[in-house]
Amino acid sequence: MPPYLVAFLSMMVPMVGTALLARVLHRRKGQAAAPAGRRDQRGRGESVGTLLGMVAALYGVFLAFVVVAVWDNQTQARNNTYTEANTVARLYFTSRNTTGPQRTKLAYGVRDYARTLVDDEWPGMESGHDSAKAWDALVKLREQAQAYDTATGGQQNAANLILGDVEQLADSRRLRLDAMPGIVPSILWACLFLGAVLTVGFSLALEHSGTPLHTGMVVATTALLAFLLWLIWALDSPFSGVLRLGPDALNAVLYRIDRYPL
């Protein structure tokens, strides 16, 4: 079974099952209660409804904040992959149009680095690991850029462009690896699950919690909360899971490189 499906079911099944079990226990308790206590239960239900409105409002704001945060992190990670791919393309074609003995080394170094990212580092990021081969290729590429011959003015301009692109490439890779583990800490996950439990718990304690309509609404709300928690979990890891970002931009650049070889 895929890991994302396991995570979704591990959130959905316990929450929905707990809601159904609590509904059954509450119904049995209500059937055993004396009719004379219904007036007191109505007043208690109004108090529970007020508390439910407060908890639901606070939890809704908190949940929306977390969803926006992980979505923004996913968007920034996607934009950074495009920036990284564009830098690879620019660096390759700049190197390709230069002269001197370093021309071939620079161009092949850029191509090999991009292929290492696609073939070695991207699969490793799904399990939370970077690539030692990519580090070595980047260090080698930087050394080749710093050793570029600057005997003429034209070569000096090309050398400045190449060095700037190599630094941009290193920065893009650092930002990508920083986004890999996610941004939601454990304390926020605890708050997310606690808020979901309180929301469902107060819903089950309402006055009309014994009716089939209310039971269906509670189960539907519980399923929605479980789905939102799973969505946060999926978006929080930009390079793993069902919503992971692939090396599509780099593959497109490699296709262009293969069409325009040295």
Side-chain angles (χ1 to χ4, degrees), residues 88-149:
V88 168
R90 185 171 59 247
L91 185 56
Y92 173 79
F93 285 103
T94 301
S95 303
R96 183 176 179 272
N97 294 327
T98 57
T99 59
Q102 294 93 348
R103 173 178 178 268
T104 303
K105 292 182 179 180
L106 280 171
Y108 283 149
V110 174
R111 186 196 62 181
D112 294 342
Y113 174 71
R115 289 203 176 278
T116 302
L117 292 182
V118 172
D119 298 337
D120 192 65
E121 182 154 85
W122 233 271
M125 286 194 302
E126 294 185 16
S127 57
H129 302 288
D130 56 359
S131 170
K133 293 181 180 179
W135 281 112
D136 295 339
L138 182 60
V139 170
K140 183 179 180 181
L141 184 61
R142 178 175 290 173
E143 292 175 349
Q144 291 171 348
Q146 291 173 345
Y148 185 76
D149 187 9

Side-chain angles (χ1 to χ4, degrees), residues 203-206 208-219:
S203 300
L204 291 170
L206 290 176
H208 300 289
S209 59
T211 62
L213 177 61
H214 182 268
T215 300
M217 293 175 62
V218 171
V219 171

